[in-house]
Amino acid sequence: IGMPVAAIGCLVKNHRTLDDSGMRAKLGFLYQGFRPKYFYWEAIVLLRKVAVACVVVFLLTIDRALQALICFGLLLVAYTIQERNQPYVHSSLNKLDTRSIIVALITLYCGLYFISDDLNDTSQILLLLVMLFSNAYFLVFWVIQIGKGLPLFLKQHHPGFYNHLLKTPCLSKCLIAKPTY
């Protein structure tokens, strides 16, 4: 809990100077990529992860199903907040974060059924397939989104390498295409 709170504290304390190059060098990793009014959002994401970890670690004495339901509730709140605010500059990052929460919800929901001993083999296989396919879908979606952003990243951070790739006929068509966000 200390890191997210410390991050929020640093960002709030310095929120008027976040556009300064010195501050961007120190704290930019915490807020670049978010719309300006959501400069603190990385701390919100960290708090979400810490909250789920705390439920799993510190509530060991309560029923596993209740633990899972508490985590499910936390993720539903996180989904609602994420969906309403859309804090990222690029819509693809908003989609990634939203879909990651949805996949976590699906996995947790299906996992709830494994806690009970009432499932037959067919139901277990079906639920396992739902979990596997939803996670595989997210992984493929993530790879596609990273692939779309790669040309812009290379152009901005490794222009020499980017220009070298432009000389390759097959890659030049992919790199020149305007990335969609």
Side-chain angles (χ1 to χ4, degrees):
I1 296 175
M3 286 302 287
V5 172
I8 288 174
C10 284
L11 290 171
V12 169
K13 179 182 174 188
N14 298 297
H15 78 279
R16 286 184 170 75
T17 59
L18 292 177
D19 287 333
D20 296 348
S21 61
M23 192 56 66
R24 213 177 3 255
K26 289 179 191 173
L27 298 175
F29 70 97
L30 290 172
Y31 63 88
Q32 288 182 330
F34 299 107
R35 292 188 288 153
K37 77 181 206 176
Y38 296 108
F39 64 89
Y40 56 86
W41 201 262
E42 187 64 35
I44 299 295
V45 172
L46 286 172
L47 282 172
R48 175 181 79 210
K49 293 175 182 181
V50 166
V52 169
C54 284
V55 168
V56 173
V57 172
F58 296 121
L59 298 180
L60 282 174
T61 57
I62 67 170
D63 183 55
R64 289 182 300 166
L66 185 55
Q67 277 183 315
L69 286 171
I70 293 169
C71 288
F72 195 83
L74 287 170
L75 289 172
L76 277 175
V77 169
Y79 170 79
T80 303
I81 292 170
Q82 166 64 31
E83 195 59 27
R84 281 190 183 159
N85 291 289
Q86 300 288 305
Y88 294 94
V89 172
H90 300 293
S91 64
S92 62
L93 295 176
N94 284 311
K95 290 176 188 174
L96 273 171
D97 204 16
T98 301
R99 290 182 184 171
S100 73
I101 296 170
I102 290 170
V103 168
L105 284 165
I106 290 169
T107 303
L108 196 54
Y109 183 77
C110 291
L112 273 168
Y113 288 98
F114 284 98
I115 292 172
S116 75
D117 295 327
D118 299 334
L119 286 179
N120 60 33
D121 290 345
T122 306
S123 298
Q124 287 181 356
I125 291 170
L126 211 94
L127 288 171
L128 181 63
L129 288 173
V130 168
M131 288 191 291
L132 287 173
F133 283 126
S134 65
N135 281 275
Y137 160 78
F138 178 75
L139 182 61
V140 168
F141 181 77
W142 181 84
V143 167
I144 289 169
Q145 295 304 312
I146 295 300
K148 286 179 180 178
L150 188 59
L152 181 61
F153 175 81
L154 289 174
K155 188 175 184 178
Q156 290 175 344
H157 299 286
H158 303 286
F161 183 65
Y162 178 81
N163 290 331
H164 179 72
L165 290 176
L166 282 177
K167 295 176 185 172
T168 310
C170 124
L171 290 176
S172 65
K173 290 179 184 177
C174 297
L175 293 173
I176 293 174
K178 190 174 182 175
T180 55
Y181 293 107

